[in-house]
Amino acid sequence: MSIANKIINLPALLKKLPALRRKGQTIAFTNGCFDLMHIGHVKYLEEAGRGNRILIVGLNSDSSVGQIKGPNRPIVHQKSRAAVLAALESVDFVVIFNEDTPYKIISKIKPDILIKGADYKGKPVIGEDLVGKVELVKYVPGFSTTNIIEKIKRDCFVAESAPRNDK
């Protein structure tokens, strides 16, 4: 399926789900900002989409990311973030949502499995009351968008502070 066909609005997605379920597909859902894609995201989504699953990624809209992460985020616009996600083989559909949490979208999709990162172990997962199963996926240690942004800022500050030899 093409990248453009994987990025879908919620009403169109809801029309597709009954046929997928009739074919015996398991509907899995995860969500996030996915602002600067890195290997941690890729491995997470690869694991989330394993097996006979249709993986739906709920993508926080630009306004939603700004509310959650602050006024300087996102770095990458939602259309670009959606296209990168849709390009992954493990991702079947990307649906953008505007709320701070994916509860509303989960209540409409009614996935069979809700997938979150292993850092949610022992913590409540938004939407867990709406699904049959919550699955926690291990993260690749050492990778986070926030850490990447901080490293860029540190490296740029160091570069700006260094004496210049351009006389």
Side-chain angles (χ1 to χ4, degrees), residues 2 10 12-13 24-25 27 36-37 39 44 58 88 91 96 100 105 116 118 128 135 138 144 151 156-157 160:
S2 75
L10 185 58
L13 176 64
Q25 298 287 330
I27 307 301
L36 293 177
M37 286 293 288
I39 191 65
Y44 171 82
L88 297 174
V91 174
I96 298 170
D100 288 350
I105 196 169
K116 293 302 288 181
E128 66 186 330
E135 185 176 295
K138 184 179 172 186
S144 83
K151 181 180 182 340
C156 287
F157 179 74
E160 288 175 3

Side-chain angles (χ1 to χ4, degrees), residues 34-63:
F34 300 99
D35 195 3
L36 293 177
M37 286 293 288
H38 52 72
I39 191 65
H41 290 135
V42 173
K43 293 287 188 186
Y44 171 82
L45 293 167
E46 187 177 69
E47 180 63 21
R50 69 176 164 71
N52 187 31
R53 293 180 179 176
I54 298 297
L55 179 60
I56 300 166
V57 177
L59 179 66
N60 291 79
S61 69
D62 288 348
S63 63

Side-chain angles (χ1 to χ4, degrees), residues 24-142:
Q25 298 287 330
T26 298
I27 307 301
F29 179 89
T30 193
N31 67 284
C33 300
F34 300 99
D35 195 3
L36 293 177
M37 286 293 288
H38 52 72
I39 191 65
H41 290 135
V42 173
K43 293 287 188 186
Y44 171 82
L45 293 167
E46 187 177 69
E47 180 63 21
R50 69 176 164 71
N52 187 31
R53 293 180 179 176
I54 298 297
L55 179 60
I56 300 166
V57 177
L59 179 66
N60 291 79
S61 69
D62 288 348
S63 63
S64 175
V65 174
Q67 292 170 347
I68 297 165
K69 303 285 187 178
N72 295 325
R73 299 280 298 276
I75 303 295
V76 179
H77 185 273
Q78 67 191 27
K79 286 184 180 179
S80 295
R81 291 183 288 124
V84 170
L85 286 167
L88 297 174
E89 186 179 345
S90 59
V91 174
D92 294 288
F93 296 105
V94 178
V95 60
I96 298 170
F97 67 96
N98 289 311
E99 297 78 20
D100 288 350
T101 76
Y103 192 84
K104 182 178 171 185
I105 196 169
I106 293 168
S107 72
K108 295 187 185 234
I109 294 171
K110 296 180 179 81
D112 302 302
I113 303 170
L114 183 59
I115 302 169
K116 293 302 288 181
D119 58 329
Y120 275 84
K121 186 172 184 168
K123 298 177 188 174
V125 174
I126 291 172
E128 66 186 330
D129 59 318
L130 302 170
V131 299
K133 180 181 177 184
V134 173
E135 185 176 295
L136 302 180
V137 174
K138 184 179 172 186
Y139 277 126
V140 175

